[in-house]
Amino acid sequence: MTDLYLHPLWQTLLIFLQKPELANRPITLAYSGGVDSQVLLHCLAQLNAKGLLPSAVNAIHINHGLSQHALSWQQFTQQSAEQLGIPYQAIAVSIENKNQQSLEALARDARYLAIEQHSGNNALILTAHHQDDQLETMLLALKRGAGIQGLSAMQSVRKFSVRKFSEQRLIARPFLEVSRAGIEAYAEQHQLHWVEDESNVDQSYDRNFLRQTIIPLLEQRWPQIKQTASRSARHCQQGQLLLEQMAITDLEKAEISTAILNINYLKTLSQPRIINLLRFFIKQNNQLAPSEKQLQQVMNTCLSAKQDKNPEVKLGKYYLRRYQQRLHLTAEFEDVSAWQQQFSSNALNQELTIDLPDSLGKLIVSRAKLSATEIAQQQITDQWSIQLPDDFETLMLAFSHQNPKCLPQYRDKRRPLKKILQELDVPTWQRKRLPFIFINNNLAAALPLFINKEYVAKPTNNCLRITWHK
């Protein structure tokens, strides 16, 4: 469908959008108003006016509020989009300063989240990254000591998965093989105007230092450095694809559930293959990639520990924890051992909603008159029925205990609670996150595991009904 009389950049864009995986997707341009995105907006508008775009297009501008010129940039982008007949919306975001994260990374995360929230589920998100950006990204990855995935730099097309449920979207970069000089030449030829971000001249930012000082020197020595770096990035992407294919094969054999791996299977693999699988496993669970040092710590502790040990390794905001022959990926949990709430018998004359700590949900507690059928049905849901004694005075909920002897409904003999939890194969960290129900200071139930025999509900009007909304 290309036309010999189309501008080369239009042809580049049109051919790119004809890729089968991009078909029938509404196009959303991530539009900053800088020269790169201004050129991409203009190209899209020209193809749209000629009826050559395969689908509808719109532009989203993210106002980060970081510059005193942010509002004027927003006004400029709105006017530009309207003049070119492209539907437009501006989204304001707030950026919270966090330790160990650069302002650039925080702004990117906020920008991508806003774009996800304001684009269609099947959207094709276009950005105007170009060949110079690709070289900068590779050099930054090299500076960090990145592996093959980092040195792959930016892919021309990939899933746009800010959050797990947004994986239907794609992000695409049609100008990755186009130089900054080519884009600026187009802008001058078409007499375009654009905004200049004053932070782009601040060489305290690594990317600006590379752009203004290092890369010009590299180009003087090696004029083709951008093209060869792009080729290297493509080679790394192919290598990374092979590693991911191997990881998928290994994960199918090692995965017990979404966040649990079989350590016995891991031990059949070589160390590089285990590390490759762990990186992929963590990525699939939408967590930040661990460092080489952290992964070596996992190898030395979680995978080499004796069977009766339960080591754990903190990786940012999550943990890898071993229990028996399983490796669990979990969140970083708060200590809830001091939490408890107590209620009198009179307080239960009305339904209670009890918010549990650390995102554990809430319990709905009420008195109930239940039939035998209702009691049986509740035991297979997130509802439990507890028989109240005639002298019932207090209900207490807690996450700690004094290791009382208990008699679950499925046992014939009493045993200390700690032994019961071991018997039920409950991982050590989960034992600290079970709501224990005490009636008159006696353990009645450990949710969701068991009810003590003397508290198993009978078809009477003196029952306690508990529903756990997680």
Side-chain angles (χ1 to χ4, degrees):
M1 282 187 60
T2 58
D3 185 331
L4 292 177
Y5 297 102
L6 291 179
H7 188 282
L9 268 189
W10 301 355
Q11 293 190 40
T12 296
L13 179 56
L14 188 58
I15 291 170
F16 183 89
L17 293 174
Q18 289 172 348
K19 292 182 177 183
E21 65 268 33
L22 307 185
N24 302 317
R25 291 176 176 270
I27 298 169
T28 294
L29 170 64
Y31 178 39
S32 69
V35 62
D36 310 327
S37 66
Q38 192 71 4
V39 166
L40 184 49
L41 176 77
H42 189 268
C43 290
L44 287 167
Q46 302 311 305
L47 292 176
N48 192 48
K50 295 177 181 293
L52 295 176
L53 282 185
S55 55
V57 61
N58 72 297
I60 293 180
H61 173 79
I62 306 301
N63 184 339
H64 301 92
L66 297 174
S67 169
Q68 61 180 338
H69 305 297
L71 185 57
S72 64
W73 294 345
Q74 179 177 322
Q75 293 169 344
F76 168 81
T77 55
Q78 182 175 355
Q79 291 170 1
S80 297
E82 289 175 352
Q83 289 171 1
L84 291 170
I86 301 296
Y88 167 95
Q89 61 178 320
I91 311 298
V93 298
S94 58
I95 298 174
E96 298 179 8
N97 191 17
K98 298 178 182 178
N99 294 333
Q100 300 181 335
Q101 277 193 274
S102 68
L103 185 62
E104 183 183 20
L106 292 170
R108 181 189 61 243
D109 291 348
R111 179 168 64 251
Y112 278 18
L113 180 59
I115 290 172
E116 178 223 77
Q117 292 172 337
H118 293 86
S119 60
N121 290 332
N122 197 39
L124 174 64
I125 314 297
L126 294 189
T127 71
H129 292 105
H130 46 68
Q131 200 171 65
D132 297 58
D133 294 321
Q134 187 77 315
L135 175 57
E136 293 164 10
T137 302
M138 283 194 72
L139 292 174
L140 289 170
L142 191 62
K143 184 265 295 184
R144 294 194 307 270
I148 189 171
Q149 182 173 1
L151 294 173
S152 298
M154 293 179 286
Q155 297 173 260
S156 61
V157 179
R158 68 168 175 82
K159 289 181 179 179
F160 186 78
S161 51
V162 180
R163 294 181 291 185
K164 194 167 185 177
F165 60 79
S166 68
E167 290 184 351
Q168 289 182 325
R169 297 173 177 83
L170 295 178
I171 183 170
R173 303 176 175 95
F175 286 171
L176 269 191
E177 299 300 323
V178 180
S179 68
R180 177 183 286 114
I183 288 173
E184 291 175 347
Y186 180 98
E188 291 178 8
Q189 177 187 351
H190 293 84
Q191 299 182 335
L192 301 183
H193 300 282
W194 58 89
V195 301
E196 292 284 1
D197 187 339
E198 69 274 12
S199 69
N200 287 339
V201 299
D202 183 355
Q203 292 200 42
S204 65
Y205 295 108
D206 289 343
R207 188 175 288 274
N208 291 341
F209 172 67
L210 289 173
R211 182 179 302 164
Q212 296 171 35
T213 301
I214 301 301
I215 291 177
L217 291 175
L218 293 177
E219 286 188 291
Q220 287 179 21
R221 178 78 180 193
W222 301 295
Q224 300 301 311
I225 185 69
K226 294 172 187 174
Q227 291 89 334
T228 55
S230 291
R231 184 167 66 244
S232 292
R234 291 195 297 273
H235 291 328
C236 288
Q237 288 168 13
Q238 292 171 0
Q240 179 62 26
L241 180 60
L242 289 175
L243 288 176
E244 290 188 357
Q245 289 173 349
M246 179 181 291
I248 289 171
T249 299
D250 287 337
L251 186 61
E252 288 174 350
K253 298 176 181 178
E255 190 175 52
I256 296 173
S257 68
T258 304
I260 304 175
L261 296 178
N262 184 330
I263 289 178
N264 286 329
Y265 178 76
L266 293 181
K267 287 182 175 180
T268 68
L269 305 176
S270 65
Q271 179 168 320
R273 197 159 165 178
I274 295 172
I275 289 174
N276 180 54
L277 172 55
L278 289 176
R279 288 188 189 279
F280 184 77
F281 170 66
I282 290 167
K283 180 182 177 182
Q284 290 297 102
N285 280 277
N286 296 302
Q287 300 294 344
L288 292 177
S291 67
E292 180 182 29
K293 183 178 180 180
Q294 288 172 324
L295 285 173
Q296 194 58 54
Q297 188 180 2
V298 174
M299 297 291 297
N300 295 339
T301 56
C302 294
L303 298 189
S304 301
K306 295 181 180 178
Q307 186 167 344
D308 60 344
K309 302 298 181 182
N310 302 299
E312 58 186 33
V313 176
K314 187 177 187 298
L315 305 172
K317 294 183 178 180
Y318 59 98
Y319 277 80
L320 280 174
R321 310 176 194 257
R322 172 171 174 159
Y323 180 68
Q324 297 184 354
Q325 294 303 309
R326 297 180 175 189
L327 188 64
H328 297 249
L329 180 67
T330 78
E332 179 181 11
F333 300 129
E334 293 180 9
D335 181 1
V336 297
S337 58
W339 184 95
Q340 67 176 41
Q341 290 200 15
Q342 186 165 310
F343 304 91
S344 67
S345 174
N346 290 336
L348 290 172
N349 289 333
Q350 59 184 357
E351 183 178 271
L352 299 178
T353 298
I354 303 168
D355 291 318
L356 301 177
D358 198 23
S359 303
L360 282 169
K362 59 185 177 181
L363 297 180
I364 309 298
V365 182
S366 62
R367 289 181 184 266
K369 180 179 180 180
L370 302 173
S371 67
T373 301
E374 289 173 318
I375 292 171
Q377 288 175 342
Q378 288 181 357
Q379 305 309 319
I380 53 177
T381 66
D382 286 330
Q383 284 191 342
W384 296 268
S385 300
I386 295 175
Q387 183 67 44
L388 294 174
D390 293 337
D391 62 348
F392 169 59
E393 293 182 356
T394 61
L395 164 71
M396 185 175 75
L397 284 75
F399 289 93
S400 58
H401 58 84
Q402 300 300 317
N403 197 28
K405 286 191 174 182
C406 47
L407 184 62
Q409 70 268 34
Y410 57 85
R411 284 184 61 85
D412 295 325
K413 295 182 179 180
R414 292 184 180 274
R415 228 184 161 190
L417 178 56
K418 288 183 179 180
K419 293 294 185 182
I420 295 290
L421 297 180
Q422 291 175 9
E423 182 181 275
L424 292 172
D425 203 22
V426 180
T428 49
W429 61 92
Q430 289 183 5
R431 298 172 199 173
K432 303 173 184 178
R433 297 173 63 79
L434 300 174
F436 298 108
I437 310 298
F438 295 88
I439 303 294
N440 296 345
N441 294 320
N442 297 314
L443 180 67
L447 302 183
L449 302 175
F450 65 84
I451 298 173
N452 267 330
K453 270 189 178 180
E454 56 263 49
Y455 293 98
V456 172
K458 304 177 182 64
T460 69
N461 60 358
N462 198 27
C463 292
L464 195 66
R465 179 167 55 198
I466 300 177
T467 306
W468 191 354
H469 294 286
K470 298 178 183 178

